[in-house]
Amino acid sequence: MSASKHWERRIPIYLIGMFLMTIGVNLSVLSGIGVSPIDTLPYIVSLITQKSLGLCTTLVFSVYIVLQIFILRRRFQWKNLLQIVLSMIFGWFVSLSGALTALLPQHPAYPIQFLYMLCSMVFLGSGIFLYVTADIMSMPADGVSLALAQVSGKPMSSCKIVFDCLVVVLTVLLSMTQLHNISGVREGTLIAAFGVGMCIRFWEKRMTKPLQRFLFRN
């Protein structure tokens, strides 16, 4: 399987995956019962600065790229600076999908909030599956987990859990010190930590081989 070919199929699938992820981000925010772990920091920065979630996502993701450079130092591959472009595209997608999810009922009853949260996990898991399978470039947050794995020798999955936990802790600290409450981290955050992974595994078992055949066939 050559990862250097078939851009005409891989790029659209990659972008579709990114856009589905941003719908999941906005649905988790709309649910009001906690955003997914990796999205908590852009969300709280958005609340603190009163800037759009799309802009704050771009800024936080750019910080993640700097963090990769700090972790890897000479081992950092400078082609990964293209993640800045991905951050800008992702931030724009967040704003676009935010306009779409704004059409849904706001501040609904808890059962609808819970439904929003479940849908957000489906969109996030499906989007991650598509963009990862397209095999173009990691998103900045995943890039940090990969950098930690490369330096520590630990599995990427373990490093991702650690990084997600650190992000949530930082979010709580910022929320308490700047907003004097805890925003964005609730039961939905914990559920999403497991639910998104379950959704990814669902697609991996059923669609990995068919999607790879479509993306990489000669």
Side-chain angles (χ1 to χ4, degrees), residues 17-202:
M18 286 178 61
F19 186 68
L20 291 179
M21 289 170 63
T22 65
I23 295 176
V25 169
N26 280 291
L27 283 174
S28 68
V29 171
L30 186 60
S31 76
I33 58 173
V35 299
S36 59
I38 205 61
D39 300 313
T40 54
L41 193 54
Y43 176 68
I44 204 65
V45 171
S46 176
L47 292 181
I48 293 170
T49 63
Q50 295 298 301
K51 302 296 183 182
S52 71
L53 181 59
L55 174 61
C56 292
T57 299
T58 300
L59 294 175
V60 170
F61 280 15
S62 297
V63 172
Y64 289 162
I65 297 169
V66 175
L67 187 57
Q68 291 176 54
I69 297 173
F70 178 77
I71 294 171
L72 292 174
R73 300 181 185 274
R74 293 182 179 180
R75 285 185 281 181
F76 180 79
Q77 297 182 9
W78 293 103
K79 67 179 183 180
N80 287 328
L81 286 177
L82 290 173
Q83 290 177 4
I84 295 175
V85 178
L86 296 181
S87 300
M88 295 173 64
I89 295 173
F90 192 84
W92 183 75
F93 279 173
V94 168
S95 297
L96 177 60
S97 60
L100 296 176
T101 56
L103 300 175
L104 295 171
Q106 309 290 309
H107 310 295
Y110 189 85
I112 303 300
Q113 289 180 297
F114 196 82
L115 178 62
Y116 284 166
M117 185 269 296
L118 293 178
C119 290
S120 78
M121 293 190 302
V122 173
F123 277 102
L124 280 167
S126 302
I128 291 171
F129 168 74
L130 290 176
Y131 111 79
V132 169
T133 307
D135 191 23
I136 294 178
M137 182 173 290
S138 297
M139 295 294 291
D142 293 331
V144 174
S145 299
L146 288 169
L148 290 172
Q150 185 176 343
V151 170
S152 66
K154 302 294 184 180
M156 190 269 189
S157 57
S158 299
C159 293
K160 180 170 176 54
I161 292 172
V162 172
F163 181 61
D164 284 356
C165 289
L166 290 174
V167 168
V168 171
V169 169
L170 179 57
T171 298
V172 171
L173 290 176
L174 284 174
S175 184
M176 293 179 65
T177 57
Q178 300 300 315
L179 301 176
H180 308 294
N181 59 37
I182 298 179
S183 299
V185 179
R186 280 185 54 182
E187 64 272 23
T189 305
L190 179 61
I191 296 171
F194 296 95
V196 173
M198 291 174 62
C199 181
I200 294 171
R201 284 197 293 271
F202 174 86

